[in-house]
């Protein structure tokens, strides 16, 4: 039984991570390692605990413990291990070790392309997304919103931000920074999508291993902060309604 998908690729072609996460294995699959016969292997663990395995690589470009983003090159395609020609063997397992259909992670069918696309995103609740008192209704007029959507899509598809958080997190970002990753508060050190103070930037950079100068990472770090402090962006918004900050 073959649980992955074989993708024909020429030797040396760059292999990009389908989802961001932490590299938990990077090396030649020795017998007894669980990766015997797969040749050069890289395994990335995403935020949901899923393992993304890239096998038969000609070369490896990452190290164990390294954090990689969606699309980051983790190696080059090849034919190492038990293989009859250059290709990529891509396998995905969930946190319980069960095999998942790998094609659902490479089709891009859930891309969030527009503000309406966020409404239609799987797991979100569109009817209340653009209530009259929500700043998100102003999104189409914002010069920075289009680029924000690109960053959000990358963060969601990388597993750094839960898809069901797309709408409320977008509202929270709008209230804090009008979807501008370069926004700065002239009265404090608050900056970025989430208006993190310097001390918060340092704290969550250490906790997540991410770089706040990266807009996608800003969203990921903001999501982690919201999870730690409030449990969900909806509760963070409720707090914001009363205090005008979160």
């Amino acid at each position: 039984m073959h649980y992955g998908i074989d993708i024909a690729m020429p030797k040396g072609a760059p292999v990009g991570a389908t989802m961001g996460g932490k590299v938990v294995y990077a090396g030649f699959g020795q017998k007894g390692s669980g990766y015997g016969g797969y040749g050069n292997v890289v395994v990335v663990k995403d935020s949901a605990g899923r393992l993304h395995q890239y096998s038969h690589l000609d070369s490896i470009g990452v190290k164990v413990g390294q954090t990689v983003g969606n699309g980051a090159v983790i190696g080059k395609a090849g034919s190492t291990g038990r293989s009859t020609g250059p290709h990529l063997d891509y396998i995905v397992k969930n946190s319980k070790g069960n095999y998942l259909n790998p094609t659902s992670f490479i089709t891009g069918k859930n891309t969030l392309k527009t503000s309406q696309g966020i409404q239609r995103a799987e797991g979100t609740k569109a009817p209340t997304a653009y209530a009259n008192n929500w700043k998100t209704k102003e999104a189409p007029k914002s010069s920075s919103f289009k680029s924000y959507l690109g960053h959000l899509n990358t963060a969601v598809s990388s597993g750094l931000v839960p898809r069901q958080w797309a709408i409320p997190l977008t509202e929270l970002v709008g209230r804090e920074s009008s979807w501008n990753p370069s926004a700065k508060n002239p009265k404090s050190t608050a900056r970025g999508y989430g208006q993190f103070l310097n001390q918060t930037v340092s704290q969550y950079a250490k906790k997540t291993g991410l770089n706040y100068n990266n807009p996608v990472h800003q969203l990921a770090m903001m999501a982690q902060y919201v999870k730690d402090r409030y449990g969900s962006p909806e509760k963070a918004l409720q707090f914001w309604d009363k205090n005008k900050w979160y």
Side-chain angles (χ1 to χ4, degrees):
M1 175 62 71
H2 189 277
Y3 293 100
I5 182 173
D6 287 330
I7 303 172
M9 299 178 74
K11 181 179 178 180
V15 175
T18 58
M19 295 192 74
K22 186 175 182 179
V23 179
V24 295
Y25 190 93
F28 192 85
Q30 301 290 346
K31 184 177 180 180
S33 67
Y35 304 111
Y38 285 109
N40 288 325
V41 179
V42 169
V43 180
V44 176
K45 185 177 183 179
D46 67 26
S47 62
R50 293 173 297 223
L51 298 177
H52 301 258
Q53 178 181 330
Y54 309 84
S55 306
H56 304 301
L57 301 173
D58 185 62
S59 61
I60 294 172
V62 292
K63 297 180 180 180
V64 171
Q66 181 177 339
T67 298
V68 298
N70 180 43
V73 175
I74 49 90
K76 295 183 178 180
S79 188
T80 56
R82 287 200 292 271
S83 171
T84 58
H87 73 289
L88 172 68
D89 186 348
Y90 176 50
I91 296 173
V92 183
K93 295 180 182 179
N94 64 19
S95 58
K96 296 181 179 180
N98 299 318
Y99 290 96
L100 303 176
N101 182 352
T103 61
S104 63
F105 295 92
I106 60 177
T107 59
K109 63 183 179 180
N110 288 322
T111 299
L112 307 173
K113 295 181 178 180
T114 64
S115 55
Q116 289 75 25
I118 289 181
Q119 283 185 294
R120 293 193 297 267
E122 180 182 351
T124 59
K125 298 180 180 179
T128 60
Y130 292 87
N132 291 331
N133 63 331
W134 271 38
K135 185 177 179 63
T136 311
K137 68 180 186 297
E138 303 171 12
K141 300 178 182 179
S142 170
S143 61
S144 58
F145 190 66
K146 184 176 181 180
S147 59
Y148 163 79
L149 284 177
H151 298 149
L152 176 65
N153 181 64
T154 299
V156 169
S157 62
S158 300
L160 296 172
V161 171
R163 180 168 292 276
Q164 65 269 27
W165 283 23
I167 289 176
L169 191 68
T170 294
E171 172 64 17
L172 193 59
V173 173
R175 294 183 186 185
E176 287 293 317
S177 60
S178 294
W179 308 286
N180 180 2
S182 300
K184 295 182 179 180
N185 187 326
K187 298 181 180 180
S188 71
T189 62
R191 60 189 175 89
Y193 279 140
Q195 289 294 283
F196 274 20
L197 296 170
N198 285 344
Q199 62 188 39
T200 310
V201 170
S202 298
Q203 178 185 354
Y204 277 83
K206 183 177 180 180
K207 180 169 186 173
T208 64
L210 301 176
N211 184 348
Y212 196 70
N213 291 325
N214 182 322
V216 175
H217 290 186
Q218 287 182 23
L219 294 175
M221 294 164 77
M222 184 179 179
Q224 185 62 55
Y225 173 84
V226 167
K227 180 180 179 181
D228 291 344
R229 185 177 174 88
Y230 302 100
S232 72
E234 289 87 355
K235 291 183 178 179
L237 285 169
Q238 290 173 4
F239 184 91
W240 202 101
D241 285 338
K242 295 180 180 179
N243 302 281
K244 305 307 177 186
W245 58 276
Y246 78 112

